[in-house]
Amino acid sequence: MRSNSRLSSLRKEIERTTHEIFSLIDKRLSLVRKVSEEKEREGISVINRDVERHLQNNVIEMCSGRNLDARFALRILNQLIQESVQVQLERNPVNSPPSVAEIFSKARRMNNAGKHILHLEVGEPDFAPPNQARRKLMKALSRGDVGYTESQGILLLRRKIADVFNQRYSRQISADEVIVTAGGRLALFLAVSSVVQAGDEVIILEPSYPAYSRFVTEVGGRPVSLSTELEDFWEPEISELEQQINPTTKAIILNSPSNPTGKVLDESVFRRIVGLANDHDIFVLSDEVYSRFTQSHYTSILEHPKCSYVCVQSFSKTYGMTGFRLGFAISNTKTINMMAKLQGLLLTSVPEFVQYSGLGALDSKDEVKHNVGVIESRSKAMNGLLKELPVSFYPPDGGFYFFPQFQNKELDSVDFAEHLLEEKGVCIVPGTIYGRRYSSFFRIALCQEKQVLIEAVRRIGEMLE
Ligand SMILES: Cc1ncc(COP(=O)(O)O)c(C=O)c1O
Protein backbone atom coordinates (compact mmCIF):
# COMPACT_ATOMS: atom_id res chain seq x y z
CA MET A 1 0.00 0.00 0.00
CA ARG A 2 2.82 2.39 1.06
CA SER A 3 4.81 1.73 -2.12
CA ASN A 4 1.63 2.41 -4.11
CA SER A 5 1.17 5.81 -2.49
CA ARG A 6 4.81 6.61 -3.24
CA LEU A 7 4.24 5.55 -6.84
CA SER A 8 1.18 7.73 -7.17
CA SER A 9 2.94 10.74 -5.66
CA LEU A 10 5.82 10.22 -8.13
CA ARG A 11 3.29 10.02 -10.95
CA LYS A 12 1.68 13.24 -9.75
CA GLU A 13 5.08 14.90 -9.81
CA ILE A 14 5.73 13.62 -13.34
CA GLU A 15 2.35 15.01 -14.35
CA ARG A 16 3.23 18.41 -12.86
CA THR A 17 6.63 18.38 -14.57
CA THR A 18 5.02 17.48 -17.91
CA HIS A 19 2.62 20.41 -17.47
CA GLU A 20 5.57 22.68 -16.77
CA ILE A 21 7.38 21.43 -19.88
CA PHE A 22 4.35 22.13 -22.08
CA SER A 23 3.63 25.53 -20.60
CA LEU A 24 7.29 26.37 -21.31
CA ILE A 25 6.89 25.09 -24.87
CA ASP A 26 3.80 27.26 -25.20
CA LYS A 27 5.81 30.25 -23.94
CA ARG A 28 8.64 29.42 -26.33
CA LEU A 29 6.28 29.31 -29.31
CA SER A 30 4.74 32.69 -28.37
CA LEU A 31 8.26 34.11 -28.33
CA VAL A 32 8.93 32.51 -31.71
CA ARG A 33 5.85 34.28 -33.13
CA LYS A 34 7.21 37.58 -31.89
CA VAL A 35 10.62 36.81 -33.40
CA SER A 36 8.83 36.02 -36.63
CA GLU A 37 7.12 39.45 -36.60
CA GLU A 38 10.47 41.15 -36.12
CA LYS A 39 12.09 39.13 -38.89
CA GLU A 40 9.21 39.92 -41.22
CA ARG A 41 9.54 43.62 -40.46
CA GLU A 42 13.29 43.59 -41.08
CA GLY A 43 13.15 41.18 -44.04
CA ILE A 44 15.40 38.68 -42.23
CA SER A 45 15.32 35.05 -43.34
CA VAL A 46 13.73 32.43 -41.08
CA ILE A 47 16.65 30.04 -40.67
CA ASN A 48 19.78 31.20 -38.88
CA ARG A 49 22.28 28.42 -38.32
CA ASP A 50 24.47 30.53 -36.02
CA VAL A 51 21.58 31.11 -33.62
CA GLU A 52 20.70 27.41 -33.75
CA ARG A 53 24.28 26.37 -33.13
CA HIS A 54 24.49 28.74 -30.16
CA LEU A 55 21.38 27.13 -28.66
CA GLN A 56 22.73 23.65 -29.34
CA ASN A 57 26.02 24.46 -27.62
CA ASN A 58 24.11 25.80 -24.62
CA VAL A 59 22.16 22.57 -24.37
CA ILE A 60 25.31 20.44 -24.68
CA GLU A 61 26.86 22.46 -21.85
CA MET A 62 23.74 22.10 -19.73
CA CYS A 63 23.78 18.32 -20.18
CA SER A 64 27.36 17.99 -18.99
CA GLY A 65 26.35 19.06 -15.47
CA ARG A 66 23.28 16.85 -15.37
CA ASN A 67 22.28 13.25 -15.82
CA LEU A 68 21.13 14.00 -19.37
CA ASP A 69 22.35 12.43 -22.58
CA ALA A 70 23.44 15.27 -24.91
CA ARG A 71 22.27 13.50 -28.08
CA PHE A 72 18.81 12.92 -26.58
CA ALA A 73 18.56 16.55 -25.44
CA LEU A 74 19.74 17.87 -28.81
CA ARG A 75 17.21 15.76 -30.66
CA ILE A 76 14.45 17.32 -28.56
CA LEU A 77 15.89 20.79 -29.16
CA ASN A 78 16.01 20.12 -32.91
CA GLN A 79 12.34 19.18 -32.87
CA LEU A 80 11.55 22.44 -31.08
CA ILE A 81 13.62 24.34 -33.64
CA GLN A 82 11.89 22.55 -36.52
CA GLU A 83 8.48 23.43 -35.05
CA SER A 84 9.60 27.05 -34.65
CA VAL A 85 10.69 27.15 -38.29
CA GLN A 86 7.33 25.71 -39.32
CA VAL A 87 5.44 28.31 -37.25
CA GLN A 88 7.44 31.10 -38.87
CA LEU A 89 6.97 29.72 -42.39
CA GLU A 90 3.22 29.47 -41.85
CA ARG A 91 3.11 33.07 -40.63
CA ASN A 92 5.20 34.26 -43.51
CA PRO A 93 4.77 32.00 -46.55
CA VAL A 94 7.13 34.19 -48.64
CA ASN A 95 9.89 32.21 -46.91
CA SER A 96 8.41 28.83 -47.90
CA PRO A 97 9.85 27.03 -50.91
CA PRO A 98 7.96 28.23 -53.99
CA SER A 99 5.47 25.90 -55.56
CA VAL A 100 6.36 25.19 -59.14
CA ALA A 101 3.45 22.79 -59.47
CA GLU A 102 1.39 25.74 -60.72
CA ILE A 103 3.88 26.47 -63.54
CA PHE A 104 3.97 22.82 -64.56
CA SER A 105 0.20 22.43 -64.51
CA LYS A 106 -0.14 25.63 -66.53
CA ALA A 107 2.26 24.09 -69.08
CA ARG A 108 0.05 20.99 -69.20
CA ARG A 109 -3.10 23.10 -69.56
CA MET A 110 -1.50 25.06 -72.40
CA ASN A 111 -0.49 21.77 -74.04
CA ASN A 112 -4.01 20.41 -73.71
CA ALA A 113 -5.39 23.59 -75.23
CA GLY A 114 -3.31 22.84 -78.32
CA LYS A 115 -0.38 25.19 -77.69
CA HIS A 116 2.96 23.64 -78.55
CA ILE A 117 5.15 23.84 -75.44
CA LEU A 118 8.85 23.04 -75.44
CA HIS A 119 9.42 20.98 -72.30
CA LEU A 120 12.83 21.52 -70.80
CA GLU A 121 11.62 20.97 -67.27
CA VAL A 122 11.19 17.25 -66.72
CA GLY A 123 14.15 14.96 -66.16
CA GLU A 124 12.53 12.15 -68.07
CA PRO A 125 14.72 10.90 -70.90
CA ASP A 126 13.20 10.26 -74.32
CA PHE A 127 14.99 6.89 -74.77
CA ALA A 128 12.95 3.78 -75.43
CA PRO A 129 13.35 1.08 -72.76
CA PRO A 130 15.79 -1.63 -73.91
CA ASN A 131 14.28 -4.48 -75.96
CA GLN A 132 15.58 -7.04 -73.49
CA ALA A 133 13.81 -5.28 -70.64
CA ARG A 134 10.51 -5.33 -72.54
CA ARG A 135 11.00 -8.96 -73.57
CA LYS A 136 11.68 -10.09 -69.99
CA LEU A 137 8.62 -8.18 -68.81
CA MET A 138 6.35 -9.67 -71.50
CA LYS A 139 7.67 -13.18 -70.82
CA ALA A 140 7.00 -12.76 -67.09
CA LEU A 141 3.47 -11.61 -67.88
CA SER A 142 2.80 -14.56 -70.17
CA ARG A 143 4.20 -16.97 -67.54
CA GLY A 144 1.74 -15.46 -65.07
CA ASP A 145 4.42 -13.92 -62.84
CA VAL A 146 2.02 -11.25 -61.73
CA GLY A 147 1.92 -11.71 -57.98
CA TYR A 148 3.39 -10.19 -54.85
CA THR A 149 7.03 -11.01 -54.23
CA GLU A 150 9.18 -10.75 -51.13
CA SER A 151 9.31 -7.09 -50.11
CA GLN A 152 13.06 -6.93 -50.70
CA GLY A 153 12.64 -7.97 -54.34
CA ILE A 154 13.08 -11.22 -56.26
CA LEU A 155 16.31 -13.04 -55.50
CA LEU A 156 17.18 -13.39 -59.18
CA LEU A 157 17.30 -9.60 -59.68
CA ARG A 158 19.05 -8.90 -56.38
CA ARG A 159 21.74 -11.47 -57.28
CA LYS A 160 22.17 -9.97 -60.71
CA ILE A 161 22.50 -6.44 -59.27
CA ALA A 162 25.07 -7.70 -56.76
CA ASP A 163 27.03 -9.42 -59.58
CA VAL A 164 27.08 -6.29 -61.75
CA PHE A 165 28.35 -4.07 -58.93
CA ASN A 166 30.80 -6.66 -57.63
CA GLN A 167 32.35 -6.77 -61.07
CA ARG A 168 32.36 -2.99 -61.46
CA TYR A 169 33.90 -2.25 -58.05
CA SER A 170 35.64 -5.52 -57.14
CA ARG A 171 33.32 -5.98 -54.18
CA GLN A 172 31.62 -8.96 -52.59
CA ILE A 173 28.14 -7.59 -52.13
CA SER A 174 25.56 -10.32 -51.42
CA ALA A 175 21.94 -10.40 -52.57
CA ASP A 176 20.97 -9.76 -48.92
CA GLU A 177 22.62 -6.34 -49.19
CA VAL A 178 20.39 -5.31 -52.09
CA ILE A 179 16.78 -4.14 -52.13
CA VAL A 180 14.68 -3.65 -55.26
CA THR A 181 12.45 -0.60 -54.83
CA ALA A 182 9.66 1.24 -56.63
CA GLY A 183 12.08 3.73 -58.22
CA GLY A 184 15.11 5.51 -56.83
CA ARG A 185 12.80 7.99 -55.13
CA LEU A 186 11.29 5.34 -52.87
CA ALA A 187 14.76 3.89 -52.20
CA LEU A 188 15.76 7.33 -50.91
CA PHE A 189 12.69 7.66 -48.71
CA LEU A 190 13.16 4.14 -47.31
CA ALA A 191 16.82 4.93 -46.61
CA VAL A 192 16.00 8.21 -44.85
CA SER A 193 13.22 6.55 -42.83
CA SER A 194 15.49 3.71 -41.77
CA VAL A 195 18.48 5.82 -40.81
CA VAL A 196 16.98 9.07 -39.47
CA GLN A 197 15.00 9.41 -36.23
CA ALA A 198 12.95 12.42 -35.13
CA GLY A 199 15.29 15.25 -34.13
CA ASP A 200 18.27 13.94 -36.09
CA GLU A 201 20.03 16.28 -38.49
CA VAL A 202 20.85 15.43 -42.09
CA ILE A 203 23.34 17.48 -44.09
CA ILE A 204 22.27 18.20 -47.66
CA LEU A 205 24.49 19.87 -50.24
CA GLU A 206 22.57 22.64 -52.02
CA PRO A 207 21.46 23.19 -54.72
CA SER A 208 19.73 19.85 -54.25
CA TYR A 209 17.01 17.56 -55.51
CA PRO A 210 14.04 18.92 -53.47
CA ALA A 211 12.84 15.49 -52.30
CA TYR A 212 15.81 15.12 -49.93
CA SER A 213 14.79 17.81 -47.44
CA ARG A 214 11.11 16.87 -47.78
CA PHE A 215 11.92 13.26 -46.87
CA VAL A 216 13.99 14.34 -43.88
CA THR A 217 11.26 16.61 -42.48
CA GLU A 218 8.65 13.94 -43.23
CA VAL A 219 10.35 11.58 -40.74
CA GLY A 220 10.77 14.37 -38.14
CA GLY A 221 14.42 15.05 -38.94
CA ARG A 222 16.04 18.38 -39.55
CA PRO A 223 17.60 19.13 -42.94
CA VAL A 224 20.78 21.21 -42.64
CA SER A 225 21.79 22.70 -45.93
CA LEU A 226 25.36 23.32 -46.96
CA SER A 227 25.29 25.64 -49.91
CA THR A 228 27.73 25.41 -52.79
CA GLU A 229 28.33 28.18 -55.32
CA LEU A 230 28.78 28.41 -59.06
CA GLU A 231 31.85 30.63 -58.45
CA ASP A 232 33.44 27.68 -56.57
CA PHE A 233 32.52 25.28 -59.38
CA TRP A 234 29.87 23.82 -57.04
CA GLU A 235 32.64 22.40 -54.87
CA PRO A 236 31.58 21.87 -51.21
CA GLU A 237 33.72 23.57 -48.57
CA ILE A 238 34.78 20.65 -46.36
CA SER A 239 35.62 22.84 -43.34
CA GLU A 240 32.08 24.29 -43.47
CA LEU A 241 30.69 20.80 -43.71
CA GLU A 242 32.66 19.80 -40.62
CA GLN A 243 31.32 22.81 -38.72
CA GLN A 244 27.76 21.62 -39.33
CA ILE A 245 28.36 18.27 -37.65
CA ASN A 246 27.05 17.77 -34.11
CA PRO A 247 26.00 14.70 -32.07
CA THR A 248 22.60 14.61 -33.81
CA THR A 249 24.05 14.56 -37.33
CA LYS A 250 22.89 11.22 -38.63
CA ALA A 251 23.49 11.37 -42.35
CA ILE A 252 24.82 13.34 -45.25
CA ILE A 253 23.20 13.08 -48.65
CA LEU A 254 25.46 13.15 -51.71
CA ASN A 255 24.27 13.30 -55.30
CA SER A 256 27.04 12.94 -57.82
CA PRO A 257 26.49 13.64 -60.68
CA SER A 258 24.19 16.25 -59.25
CA ASN A 259 20.69 17.19 -60.16
CA PRO A 260 20.59 20.15 -60.93
CA THR A 261 24.23 21.27 -61.34
CA GLY A 262 25.81 18.30 -63.15
CA LYS A 263 28.70 18.45 -60.70
CA VAL A 264 30.65 15.24 -60.18
CA LEU A 265 32.47 15.27 -56.85
CA ASP A 266 36.22 14.80 -57.16
CA GLU A 267 37.66 11.61 -55.75
CA SER A 268 39.58 13.63 -53.13
CA VAL A 269 36.45 15.55 -52.01
CA PHE A 270 34.51 12.32 -51.84
CA ARG A 271 37.28 10.72 -49.76
CA ARG A 272 37.33 13.65 -47.31
CA ILE A 273 33.56 13.55 -46.87
CA VAL A 274 33.65 9.80 -46.29
CA GLY A 275 36.50 10.37 -43.79
CA LEU A 276 34.36 12.84 -41.83
CA ALA A 277 31.40 10.46 -41.99
CA ASN A 278 33.57 7.69 -40.54
CA ASP A 279 35.02 9.91 -37.80
CA HIS A 280 31.57 11.05 -36.65
CA ASP A 281 29.66 7.84 -37.27
CA ILE A 282 27.46 9.38 -39.98
CA PHE A 283 25.65 7.53 -42.77
CA VAL A 284 26.40 8.56 -46.34
CA LEU A 285 23.26 8.37 -48.50
CA SER A 286 24.73 8.43 -51.96
CA ASP A 287 22.20 9.06 -54.72
CA GLU A 288 23.91 7.76 -57.85
CA VAL A 289 20.97 7.60 -60.25
CA TYR A 290 22.89 9.62 -62.89
CA SER A 291 26.14 7.68 -62.47
CA ARG A 292 26.25 6.32 -66.01
CA PHE A 293 26.02 9.80 -67.50
CA THR A 294 29.47 11.07 -66.63
CA GLN A 295 32.02 12.76 -68.77
CA SER A 296 34.70 12.73 -66.08
CA HIS A 297 35.79 10.22 -63.48
CA TYR A 298 32.97 9.46 -61.12
CA THR A 299 33.42 8.02 -57.64
CA SER A 300 30.84 5.69 -56.14
CA ILE A 301 30.28 5.20 -52.43
CA LEU A 302 30.74 1.51 -53.26
CA GLU A 303 34.46 2.29 -53.60
CA HIS A 304 34.40 3.19 -49.88
CA PRO A 305 33.00 0.03 -48.31
CA LYS A 306 34.35 0.85 -44.84
CA CYS A 307 31.82 3.61 -44.13
CA SER A 308 28.10 3.27 -43.33
CA TYR A 309 26.28 3.98 -46.54
CA VAL A 310 23.20 3.49 -48.65
CA CYS A 311 23.87 3.62 -52.38
CA VAL A 312 20.74 4.50 -54.36
CA GLN A 313 20.36 3.56 -58.02
CA SER A 314 17.57 3.56 -60.57
CA PHE A 315 16.57 2.05 -63.90
CA SER A 316 14.69 5.27 -64.79
CA LYS A 317 17.45 7.43 -66.23
CA THR A 318 20.03 4.98 -67.56
CA TYR A 319 17.55 2.82 -69.44
CA GLY A 320 14.68 5.23 -70.12
CA MET A 321 12.41 3.23 -67.79
CA THR A 322 10.87 6.03 -65.68
CA GLY A 323 7.34 4.63 -65.77
CA PHE A 324 8.44 1.14 -64.73
CA ARG A 325 9.15 2.62 -61.26
CA LEU A 326 12.16 0.41 -60.73
CA GLY A 327 15.15 1.26 -58.60
CA PHE A 328 17.36 -0.35 -56.00
CA ALA A 329 19.66 0.30 -53.09
CA ILE A 330 22.77 -1.35 -51.69
CA SER A 331 23.64 -1.17 -47.99
CA ASN A 332 24.37 -3.35 -44.97
CA THR A 333 21.83 -6.12 -44.28
CA LYS A 334 20.45 -4.42 -41.15
CA THR A 335 19.53 -1.25 -43.07
CA ILE A 336 18.29 -3.23 -46.08
CA ASN A 337 16.01 -5.28 -43.80
CA MET A 338 14.58 -2.12 -42.26
CA MET A 339 14.01 -0.66 -45.72
CA ALA A 340 12.36 -3.91 -46.88
CA LYS A 341 10.00 -3.93 -43.88
CA LEU A 342 8.88 -0.40 -44.64
CA GLN A 343 8.50 -1.08 -48.37
CA GLY A 344 6.42 -4.14 -47.45
CA LEU A 345 4.22 -1.98 -45.26
CA LEU A 346 3.75 0.64 -47.96
CA LEU A 347 3.30 -1.46 -51.11
CA THR A 348 3.99 -5.14 -50.32
CA SER A 349 6.44 -5.36 -53.21
CA VAL A 350 7.39 -3.97 -56.60
CA PRO A 351 5.19 -5.74 -59.22
CA GLU A 352 6.76 -9.09 -60.06
CA PHE A 353 6.82 -8.69 -63.87
CA VAL A 354 8.40 -5.24 -63.55
CA GLN A 355 11.23 -6.74 -61.53
CA TYR A 356 11.91 -9.21 -64.37
CA SER A 357 12.38 -6.27 -66.76
CA GLY A 358 15.33 -5.20 -64.61
CA LEU A 359 17.12 -8.46 -65.45
CA GLY A 360 16.88 -7.61 -69.14
CA ALA A 361 17.91 -3.98 -68.63
CA LEU A 362 21.10 -4.95 -66.82
CA ASP A 363 22.17 -6.94 -69.90
CA SER A 364 21.52 -4.03 -72.28
CA LYS A 365 25.03 -2.64 -72.64
CA ASP A 366 24.56 -1.34 -76.21
CA GLU A 367 21.49 0.67 -75.25
CA VAL A 368 23.30 2.23 -72.30
CA LYS A 369 26.17 3.18 -74.59
CA HIS A 370 23.70 4.72 -77.02
CA ASN A 371 21.81 6.64 -74.30
CA VAL A 372 25.01 7.98 -72.77
CA GLY A 373 26.19 9.05 -76.24
CA VAL A 374 22.92 10.87 -76.94
CA ILE A 375 23.14 12.88 -73.71
CA GLU A 376 26.83 13.61 -74.27
CA SER A 377 26.13 14.98 -77.72
CA ARG A 378 23.20 17.11 -76.50
CA SER A 379 25.32 18.34 -73.62
CA LYS A 380 28.06 19.47 -76.03
CA ALA A 381 25.47 21.25 -78.17
CA MET A 382 23.88 22.93 -75.13
CA ASN A 383 27.29 24.08 -73.96
CA GLY A 384 27.80 25.89 -77.26
CA LEU A 385 24.27 27.33 -77.31
CA LEU A 386 24.39 28.72 -73.76
CA LYS A 387 27.74 30.39 -74.39
CA GLU A 388 25.91 32.77 -76.72
CA LEU A 389 23.42 33.80 -74.00
CA PRO A 390 23.85 36.34 -71.19
CA VAL A 391 24.14 33.57 -68.59
CA SER A 392 26.94 32.03 -66.52
CA PHE A 393 27.09 28.29 -66.06
CA TYR A 394 29.26 25.36 -65.06
CA PRO A 395 29.64 22.91 -67.95
CA PRO A 396 28.28 19.75 -66.31
CA ASP A 397 30.62 16.82 -65.62
CA GLY A 398 27.66 14.48 -65.82
CA GLY A 399 23.94 13.93 -65.40
CA PHE A 400 21.59 15.52 -67.88
CA TYR A 401 20.96 19.03 -66.68
CA PHE A 402 22.37 22.54 -67.10
CA PHE A 403 21.92 25.06 -64.29
CA PRO A 404 22.63 28.53 -65.74
CA GLN A 405 22.50 31.83 -63.88
CA PHE A 406 21.10 35.00 -65.45
CA GLN A 407 23.59 37.80 -65.59
CA ASN A 408 20.79 40.08 -64.44
CA LYS A 409 20.79 38.66 -60.92
CA GLU A 410 17.78 40.77 -59.93
CA LEU A 411 15.60 38.59 -62.14
CA ASP A 412 13.62 36.09 -60.05
CA SER A 413 13.62 32.54 -61.40
CA VAL A 414 9.92 31.91 -60.71
CA ASP A 415 8.87 35.11 -62.55
CA PHE A 416 11.26 34.24 -65.35
CA ALA A 417 9.81 30.72 -65.66
CA GLU A 418 6.24 32.09 -65.75
CA HIS A 419 7.01 34.71 -68.40
CA LEU A 420 9.04 32.25 -70.46
CA LEU A 421 6.14 29.82 -70.47
CA GLU A 422 3.43 32.37 -71.24
CA GLU A 423 5.31 34.45 -73.79
CA LYS A 424 7.65 31.94 -75.44
CA GLY A 425 6.05 28.54 -74.75
CA VAL A 426 9.16 27.15 -73.05
CA CYS A 427 8.94 25.37 -69.70
CA ILE A 428 11.99 25.33 -67.41
CA VAL A 429 12.47 24.76 -63.66
CA PRO A 430 13.14 27.87 -61.51
CA GLY A 431 16.36 27.62 -59.48
CA THR A 432 14.65 28.42 -56.16
CA ILE A 433 13.21 24.96 -55.85
CA TYR A 434 16.77 23.64 -55.41
CA GLY A 435 17.45 26.14 -52.58
CA ARG A 436 16.25 29.68 -51.81
CA ARG A 437 19.56 31.30 -52.67
CA TYR A 438 19.43 30.03 -56.27
CA SER A 439 16.71 32.44 -57.35
CA SER A 440 18.81 33.71 -60.26
CA PHE A 441 19.27 30.22 -61.72
CA PHE A 442 17.13 27.92 -63.82
CA ARG A 443 17.41 24.26 -64.77
CA ILE A 444 17.09 22.81 -68.21
CA ALA A 445 16.98 19.09 -68.94
CA LEU A 446 18.59 17.43 -71.96
CA CYS A 447 15.68 15.05 -72.41
CA GLN A 448 14.49 16.34 -75.81
CA GLU A 449 15.80 16.11 -79.38
CA LYS A 450 18.62 18.52 -80.22
CA GLN A 451 16.34 20.53 -82.52
CA VAL A 452 13.95 21.18 -79.64
CA LEU A 453 16.82 22.25 -77.40
CA ILE A 454 18.14 24.63 -80.07
CA GLU A 455 14.74 26.26 -80.56
CA ALA A 456 14.11 26.47 -76.80
CA VAL A 457 17.47 28.15 -76.14
CA ARG A 458 16.79 30.60 -78.97
CA ARG A 459 13.53 31.60 -77.27
CA ILE A 460 15.23 31.79 -73.84
CA GLY A 461 17.78 34.10 -75.49
CA GLU A 462 14.95 36.33 -76.75
CA MET A 463 13.50 36.52 -73.23
CA LEU A 464 16.85 37.48 -71.77
CA GLU A 465 17.48 40.26 -74.30
C1 LIG B 1 18.69 13.15 -58.06
C2 LIG B 1 17.56 12.21 -58.26
N1 LIG B 1 17.44 11.14 -57.46
C3 LIG B 1 16.44 10.27 -57.59
C4 LIG B 1 15.48 10.43 -58.57
C5 LIG B 1 14.38 9.43 -58.62
O1 LIG B 1 14.23 8.79 -59.82
P1 LIG B 1 13.28 7.51 -59.96
O2 LIG B 1 12.37 7.48 -58.79
O3 LIG B 1 12.56 7.69 -61.25
O4 LIG B 1 14.20 6.33 -59.95
C6 LIG B 1 15.55 11.53 -59.43
C7 LIG B 1 14.51 11.77 -60.45
O5 LIG B 1 14.42 12.78 -61.09
C8 LIG B 1 16.62 12.44 -59.27
O6 LIG B 1 16.76 13.52 -60.07
Side-chain angles (χ1 to χ4, degrees), residues 278-298:
N278 272 339
D279 292 347
H280 297 274
D281 203 11
I282 296 171
F283 256 85
V284 179
L285 305 187
S286 187
D287 178 350
E288 305 186 5
V289 303
Y290 296 101
S291 61
R292 302 306 293 274
F293 300 94
T294 43
Q295 285 139 48
S296 61
H297 176 71
Y298 137 83

Side-chain angles (χ1 to χ4, degrees), residues 183-185 188 209 212 255 259 287 289-290 314 316-317 325:
R185 184 184 274 269
L188 283 164
Y209 180 51
Y212 301 146
N255 176 216
N259 170 11
D287 178 350
V289 303
Y290 296 101
S314 172
S316 293
K317 316 289 178 177
R325 306 312 301 129

Side-chain angles (χ1 to χ4, degrees), residues 305-454:
K306 294 239 158 57
C307 79
S308 303
Y309 67 84
V310 181
C311 175
V312 170
Q313 276 286 358
S314 172
F315 287 87
S316 293
K317 316 289 178 177
T318 314
Y319 304 100
M321 289 169 59
T322 48
F324 287 57
R325 306 312 301 129
L326 192 60
F328 57 95
I330 301 172
S331 184
N332 59 59
T333 46
K334 184 174 165 223
T335 309
I336 291 292
N337 287 341
M338 285 164 78
M339 291 170 69
K341 261 194 195 147
L342 184 56
Q343 176 160 258
L345 189 67
L346 295 172
L347 47 92
T348 310
S349 71
V350 176
E352 191 172 19
F353 49 94
V354 172
Q355 295 188 53
Y356 278 97
S357 72
L359 289 168
L362 288 170
D363 282 333
S364 308
K365 295 195 173 59
D366 291 345
E367 284 86 344
V368 174
K369 208 167 152 199
H370 166 266
N371 297 348
V372 170
V374 167
I375 293 296
E376 208 175 310
S377 148
R378 289 178 189 171
S379 182
K380 270 198 193 120
M382 183 57 75
N383 211 32
L385 292 166
L386 287 180
K387 275 188 185 150
E388 304 301 318
L389 260 50
V391 294
S392 320
F393 66 99
Y394 175 81
D397 309 309
F400 39 66
Y401 306 104
F402 276 70
F403 197 53
Q405 181 178 36
F406 326 116
Q407 269 157 22
N408 171 4
K409 293 182 185 164
E410 301 305 307
L411 204 58
D412 173 77
S413 61
V414 176
D415 291 342
F416 178 69
E418 274 169 0
H419 285 293
L420 188 64
L421 178 62
E422 279 163 18
E423 293 163 34
K424 302 287 174 188
V426 178
C427 196
I428 47 105
V429 187
T432 12
I433 80 148
Y434 305 100
R436 281 232 135 252
R437 60 192 294 117
Y438 306 103
S439 62
S440 58
F441 288 81
F442 61 101
R443 191 197 77 171
I444 48 189
L446 302 173
C447 297
Q448 304 280 333
E449 296 278 357
K450 231 184 248 178
Q451 286 317 310
V452 177
L453 298 178
I454 292 170

Side-chain angles (χ1 to χ4, degrees), residues 143-162:
R143 273 198 313 267
D145 290 340
V146 293
Y148 299 138
T149 74
E150 54 203 292
S151 303
Q152 199 175 334
I154 57 172
L155 184 60
L156 217 54
L157 180 55
R158 287 188 287 118
R159 270 202 190 128
K160 177 121 192 164
I161 291 168

